[in-house]
Amino acid sequence: MNINHKTVQFQISDQTVVCSRHFKPTDFKWTPVRKTLKPDSVPSIFDWSNQVTPRREIFKHPVPQKRPRSASEDEARDDDADLGCEPIPEFQDGDLSLCAFDEISSPRVLELEKTLQEKEEEIQRLQEKLQIERFGILRFSKDDSMISFYTGFVSMAMFTTFFNFIKPAANSMTSYYYKSVDTVNVTVGRQRNMLLIDELLCSFNIWPNKDNIEAKMPNVFKMLYPSTRVVIDCTEIKTERPSSLALGSKCYSSYKSSHTWKGLVGIAPHGALTFVSSLYTGSMSDVEITKLCGLIELLESGDSIMADKGFVLNKVLDGTGITVNTPPFLMSHGQFSRQEVEETQTIAKLRIHIERHIRRVKEYHLFDSIIPLSMVGTINQLWTVANMLTLFKGPLVKDWH
């Protein structure tokens, strides 16, 4: 109600309220929630013509949701509105009032802003450090020797160039485990956690045509073995002993005296990898693997193969027009002729690079330990990738002259 000299007699009850304009600013106290009267406050302003001095403007931050009011508070606000009096303002949780709290000094605000900025910069530095320290290509990007060790590429620039070349196809690769990057609305597979560049594998045709072989053929081959198309050899990697006696017998290698997988590889005369076979059981001979692996189907009439003594391919190549150059065998006369000794040394000197290639493959340390039988489904892929990565390690043969 409004108290002035015209106010008539009225009965005071529990529902009687007094307009806030009848109190001085010093009669109020502030809480974090609202403004209330002090216990000893009494109305002291009664001249209606003498308006109370305009109160200080209250700066309030917007809040997402107001605190619900009780029924008694709603009634008090309605009574004030009916009497034409300004209701006592409310302050919700989170309101900042210059009247309710001491003003925050500008230096303090600047200090808090500076601290916040420093924390954000620290978070960014830690995220960058985490990105570098995680096992991935970025961790070794500044060290070409580490790039060569982990990828087989001679530098980060070459690795990146190759990745950018295959990236469009790699983005849409299908996988049993992951969704492809370019496919939408795919429900099979989970999202990749690893960067695509860290998953890099390669698969492409490495068998060159005869013109490319002849164009890059070293002079020593041109003079002595100009028809050589490929230099081949077999190598073995150890595996677990199968529980099956039949399979165990097939996997047993008398040469290694252990159970192995055996594969054939071939390089061009200038040293580049040109052929990788699948892996076969260790008991199979070099000749049988050469017959089954598909190499002969790639060769043309007039081509020749350079190999070690174990590759007795005359019967296999009969009628194909393909020949094989191997070191001569020691015949019944019990001694090599001078020409045979020179031929043995020459072939050994030229085919030594296939052994260097095999050493490069094993330098990836994928086959250091015994291969478990549980990896039978993926060992061929590992074997092929390890061979192909040698293509990016730089020339195998720097000087043939």
Side-chain angles (χ1 to χ4, degrees), residues 204-216:
F204 49 89
N205 181 23
I206 58 175
W207 182 257
N209 58 45
K210 186 178 290 189
D211 292 338
N212 288 334
I213 294 291
E214 292 177 351
K216 298 178 181 179

Side-chain angles (χ1 to χ4, degrees), residues 30-36 55 58 60 63 66-70 72-77 86-93 95-97 100:
W30 293 88
T31 70
V33 178
R34 60 183 300 174
K35 180 175 75 173
T36 59
R55 64 179 64 191
I58 298 174
K60 299 176 67 175
V63 292
K66 291 185 177 181
R67 180 180 63 85
R69 295 190 300 268
S70 62
S72 58
E73 290 174 333
D74 288 335
E75 291 178 7
R77 292 175 65 89
E86 180 182 348
I88 298 174
E90 285 188 7
F91 289 86
Q92 309 296 333
D93 293 340
D95 288 352
L96 178 62
S97 173

Side-chain angles (χ1 to χ4, degrees), residues 18-30 35-47 50-56 88-89:
V18 179
C19 178
S20 62
R21 294 189 178 183
H22 292 292
F23 296 91
K24 298 177 181 178
T26 55
D27 293 332
F28 297 97
K29 65 178 180 178
W30 293 88
K35 180 175 75 173
T36 59
L37 286 170
K38 296 178 180 179
D40 56 349
S41 298
V42 294
S44 58
I45 301 177
F46 299 105
D47 186 357
N50 182 18
Q51 297 291 332
V52 77
T53 55
R55 64 179 64 191
R56 296 167 63 187
I88 298 174

Side-chain angles (χ1 to χ4, degrees), residues 25-253:
T26 55
D27 293 332
F28 297 97
K29 65 178 180 178
W30 293 88
T31 70
V33 178
R34 60 183 300 174
K35 180 175 75 173
T36 59
L37 286 170
K38 296 178 180 179
D40 56 349
S41 298
V42 294
S44 58
I45 301 177
F46 299 105
D47 186 357
W48 184 252
S49 63
N50 182 18
Q51 297 291 332
V52 77
T53 55
R55 64 179 64 191
R56 296 167 63 187
E57 282 194 17
I58 298 174
F59 173 76
K60 299 176 67 175
H61 284 289
V63 292
Q65 187 176 3
K66 291 185 177 181
R67 180 180 63 85
R69 295 190 300 268
S70 62
S72 58
E73 290 174 333
D74 288 335
E75 291 178 7
R77 292 175 65 89
D78 292 339
D79 289 343
D80 279 346
D82 293 339
L83 295 173
C85 299
E86 180 182 348
I88 298 174
E90 285 188 7
F91 289 86
Q92 309 296 333
D93 293 340
D95 288 352
L96 178 62
S97 173
L98 296 179
C99 299
F101 306 103
D102 293 333
E103 293 186 6
I104 301 177
S105 61
S106 295
R108 177 60 176 165
V109 172
L110 295 176
E111 181 182 354
L112 292 174
E113 290 178 348
K114 182 180 179 182
T115 302
L116 178 60
Q117 183 178 359
E118 290 174 351
K119 295 299 182 183
E120 290 176 347
E121 292 174 353
E122 182 180 1
I123 291 172
Q124 184 176 358
R125 286 195 302 270
L126 291 174
Q127 289 176 339
E128 292 174 355
K129 184 178 179 181
L130 178 63
Q131 183 71 9
I132 293 175
E133 290 185 350
R134 63 186 290 272
F135 189 86
I137 195 67
L138 184 62
R139 181 174 181 177
F140 313 109
S141 60
K142 304 298 182 182
D143 190 341
D144 285 344
S145 63
M146 296 300 289
I147 291 293
S148 177
F149 177 80
Y150 281 106
T151 70
F153 291 81
V154 295
S155 66
M156 182 63 183
M158 181 174 287
F159 181 85
T160 305
T161 300
F162 176 74
F163 173 74
N164 290 333
F165 177 74
I166 68 167
K167 186 177 180 180
N171 276 334
S172 57
M173 285 192 305
T174 56
S175 170
Y176 180 80
Y177 301 101
Y178 301 111
K179 299 178 182 178
S180 62
V181 177
D182 291 342
T183 305
V184 296
N185 298 325
V186 176
T187 57
V188 178
R190 61 182 183 273
Q191 296 295 337
R192 279 180 164 85
N193 291 323
M194 184 180 290
L195 297 176
L196 189 62
I197 194 171
D198 292 332
E199 295 184 31
L200 174 59
L201 296 176
C202 49
S203 176
F204 49 89
N205 181 23
I206 58 175
W207 182 257
N209 58 45
K210 186 178 290 189
D211 292 338
N212 288 334
I213 294 291
E214 292 177 351
K216 298 178 181 179
M217 183 176 289
N219 290 332
V220 65
F221 270 94
K222 289 180 180 179
M223 291 187 296
L224 301 175
Y225 303 99
S227 63
T228 303
R229 186 77 179 269
V230 64
V231 183
I232 65 173
D233 200 1
C234 285
T235 187
E236 299 178 67
I237 55 179
K238 293 183 178 181
T239 186
E240 284 183 326
R241 178 179 180 176
S243 58
S244 167
L245 294 178
L247 183 57
S249 176
K250 290 182 179 180
C251 290
Y252 185 79
S253 168

Side-chain angles (χ1 to χ4, degrees), residues 361-379:
V361 172
K362 294 187 177 180
E363 283 176 351
Y364 288 109
H365 305 289
L366 295 174
F367 314 112
D368 288 353
S369 58
I370 295 176
I371 303 300
L373 292 175
S374 59
M375 292 185 63
V376 168
T378 57
I379 188 61

